[in-house]
Amino acid sequence: MTQIHFEREPGQQSAMQDLTPPRPFLVVALVIVAATLWFAISATRFGRGAYDEPDGPMVGSRSLVFSDATNGGIDVYDAIAHRNVFQVPPNSDQFLRGAIRSLARSRRAAHVEPSEPFILTQWENGRMTLDDPSTGERVSISSFGPTQVESFRVLLLAGK
């Protein structure tokens, strides 16, 4: 255990004693840290405290495949119609790029082909989600605000 030691001035007697934290204080601090870690791990492992808003009825859905364009944009393909429906311009829609990049990273780790479609869904309650059926991951687009919802709504309606 580290002790704090104040040296006295030459020729002076120290008025301070060696300062060490009381043992019960250290035990309580250790118990608090251990309990915090235990709660965090058990909440993650067993889903305690997780809030999942029910989806309700589906209003619209689309299977989409994303691929890098040669100009630095993102080509968006309708997986059912097998055609390009939209191109995200280079250096734009950073939220959309980040959401897709996040899901693609999980796909690479799971060795899933990039040609497998994502499912973009609009729910009756106004929520919008992007699901990856290959990995079981979901991004709740509506959690990030109306601007981000609009950037994905364009994909839902593009080419129709």
Side-chain angles (χ1 to χ4, degrees):
M1 186 176 327
T2 305
Q3 294 184 356
I4 300 173
H5 179 70
F6 293 98
E7 292 190 22
R8 59 180 182 242
E9 303 243 347
Q12 296 275 330
Q13 181 114 4
S14 175
M16 300 290 293
Q17 298 177 357
D18 286 338
L19 297 177
T20 57
R23 186 166 173 80
F25 174 77
L26 294 175
V27 170
V28 169
L30 184 63
V31 168
I32 289 172
V33 168
T36 301
L37 286 173
W38 184 82
F39 283 124
I41 292 169
S42 67
T44 303
R45 183 96 167 125
F46 302 113
R48 301 261 185 227
Y51 176 73
D52 190 22
E53 185 177 339
D55 294 325
M58 181 178 32
V59 174
S61 178
R62 194 168 203 184
S63 296
L64 300 171
V65 175
F66 301 96
S67 69
D68 292 328
T70 56
N71 67 354
I74 299 174
D75 287 325
V76 183
Y77 295 91
D78 185 310
I80 306 297
H82 302 290
R83 65 186 176 95
N84 188 335
V85 293
F86 191 76
Q87 185 177 52
V88 179
N91 302 318
S92 66
D93 286 321
Q94 297 305 315
F95 174 77
L96 185 140
R97 289 172 182 276
I100 295 167
R101 203 174 293 126
S102 167
L103 292 172
R105 189 177 313 115
S106 298
R107 281 184 165 200
R108 280 192 304 275
H111 305 291
V112 175
E113 290 295 320
S115 60
E116 292 293 318
F118 293 95
I119 310 295
L120 180 61
T121 308
Q122 175 75 52
W123 302 96
E124 186 180 59
N125 62 3
R127 290 184 69 226
M128 186 174 278
T129 57
L130 181 62
D131 293 285
D132 184 357
S134 304
T135 62
E137 292 201 26
R138 170 181 274 191
V139 174
S140 180
I141 312 288
S142 358
S143 299
F144 296 96
T147 305
Q148 283 69 19
V149 169
E150 193 53 40
S151 68
F152 275 90
R153 189 180 323 275
V154 168
L155 301 181
L156 195 60
L157 303 173
K160 288 190 175 183

